[in-house]
Amino acid sequence: MSTHTPGAAPESARIHNIGYRHYDGQRLGRAYARRSLFSQSLRGAYGLGRSAKSKVLPMILFAVMCLPAAIIVAVAVATKASKLPLDYTNYALVTQAVIGLFLAAQAPQSVSRDLRFKTVPLYFSRPIERVDYVLAKYAAMASALFVLTASPLLVLYAGSLLAKMDFADQTKWFAQGMVSVALLSVLFAGLGLVIAALTPRRGFGVAAIIATLTITYGAVSTVQAIAYSTESTGTIQWFGLFSPISLIDGVQTALLGASSGFPGGHGPSTAVGLLYLLVVLGLVAGSYGVLMRRYRRAGL
């Protein structure tokens, strides 16, 4: 006769304590998660918090960006120059190749790995939503580019003050340069992330970003040079609408009072410069929209 008591657990049953406990702490929510993702992505752009190998390229590119500024400052101080030989607004144009390499290396690193290893659904599980992910990644990439492009301008500004150049003029030109590189950073970050987010393969993203920036600028520069040589100078300003770097050149020439890098200095007029600005803002908004559409489905 069975001695098993009705409702009692069989002798083989066991209750195992696997360590789960009720959490009574503060729920930090979406804002904290968004800030954490932004901070992690920004640090990752310079290899911080990653392996030593990951720090090599971004730190080399950062040093290459700042080295010409340091040399210019040293020469200006030694010769007691009254003006810097290179304008603040032209510095990013001269070093655009370095900026392009940094963007090509870091934009895929920021988003392609999440796509390749399918970690995006983990981000979107809770509490982060699609808009939080896109904003954090976009802001981090733009901030990383701003650090890269603004640091040499700070070196130039500090050097100009050490050389006892006119404080008011240098401050004005420095502010113009900072506005220019801020606009460049937002534009380039959007374009780079869109291209990188289209493929989970980092190598393809790197090549596509370099090709986009190089081919568009080369084509625009070539056509502008042809127009200048044939004395069709009125068309030069319109060709500048088809390259990211020439767009920034046109905006700062027309609206910030900078000297133009177009052939013969034939930059856009104020009216056309407003069109340049609208195109830049349109590309920024379009990049954000494309990224939102790309991450519409969590199971990418």
Side-chain angles (χ1 to χ4, degrees):
M1 183 175 178
S2 174
T3 59
H4 178 68
T5 304
E11 293 183 0
S12 60
R14 296 288 186 272
I15 297 177
H16 297 279
N17 181 2
I18 58 176
Y20 291 116
R21 296 182 181 180
H22 181 69
Y23 179 71
D24 296 319
Q26 180 184 4
R27 302 288 180 176
L28 299 177
R30 286 176 57 189
Y32 178 82
R34 185 168 55 243
R35 290 194 302 269
S36 298
L37 182 58
F38 165 78
S39 174
Q40 178 192 32
S41 301
L42 177 57
R43 287 166 51 85
Y46 286 93
L48 303 178
R50 300 170 59 198
S51 64
K53 181 181 178 180
S54 300
K55 298 178 177 65
V56 174
L57 181 59
M59 291 305 177
I60 288 178
L61 294 177
F62 182 82
V64 171
M65 277 292 294
C66 293
L67 182 60
I71 294 174
I72 291 173
V73 165
V75 173
V77 172
T79 59
K80 297 181 180 180
S82 59
K83 184 180 178 181
L84 293 173
L86 182 64
D87 294 339
Y88 295 97
T89 50
N90 287 337
Y91 195 91
L93 304 181
V94 174
T95 57
Q96 61 177 289
V98 181
I99 300 172
L101 286 175
F102 182 89
L103 177 65
Q106 302 309 319
Q109 180 272 330
S110 180
V111 296
S112 295
R113 292 192 305 170
D114 291 342
L115 295 172
R116 182 177 181 182
F117 297 109
K118 300 185 183 301
T119 57
V120 176
L122 298 179
Y123 284 113
F124 293 171
S125 58
R126 196 177 62 176
I128 277 185
E129 296 184 4
R130 176 167 50 111
V131 63
D132 301 315
Y133 182 88
V134 171
L135 285 176
K137 290 293 184 177
Y138 200 142
M141 194 70 253
S143 299
L145 285 172
F146 183 72
V147 170
L148 181 75
T149 54
S151 296
L153 301 190
L154 286 171
V155 174
L156 290 176
Y157 182 63
S160 68
L161 298 183
L162 287 175
K164 298 181 180 179
M165 299 179 186
D166 185 85
F167 176 79
D169 287 342
Q170 293 299 321
T171 301
K172 174 185 175 182
W173 297 331
F174 171 69
Q176 292 174 344
M178 294 296 279
V179 172
S180 176
V181 297
L183 193 60
L184 181 148
S185 299
V186 175
L187 174 62
F188 275 41
L191 296 176
L193 288 177
V194 164
I195 296 172
L198 294 178
T199 174
R201 295 187 177 275
R202 183 178 179 181
F204 290 165
V206 171
I209 292 172
I210 293 177
T212 299
L213 297 179
T214 304
I215 293 174
T216 55
Y217 179 72
V220 167
S221 298
T222 300
V223 175
Q224 285 179 329
I226 294 173
Y228 180 71
S229 64
T230 57
E231 299 184 355
S232 301
T233 56
T235 62
I236 291 178
Q237 61 181 350
W238 300 107
F239 292 128
L241 292 167
F242 300 98
S243 168
I245 194 66
S246 61
L247 279 171
I248 299 300
D249 189 356
V251 169
Q252 66 183 22
T253 299
L255 305 180
L256 298 178
S259 58
S260 177
F262 291 176
H266 294 284
S269 62
T270 302
V272 178
L274 291 174
L275 177 60
Y276 271 64
L277 180 60
L278 288 176
V279 172
V280 171
L281 296 178
L283 287 173
V284 171
S287 298
Y288 173 77
V290 171
L291 288 171
M292 288 293 289
R293 184 178 180 85
R294 179 71 175 92
Y295 291 102
R296 176 173 294 177
R297 292 175 296 120
L300 291 170

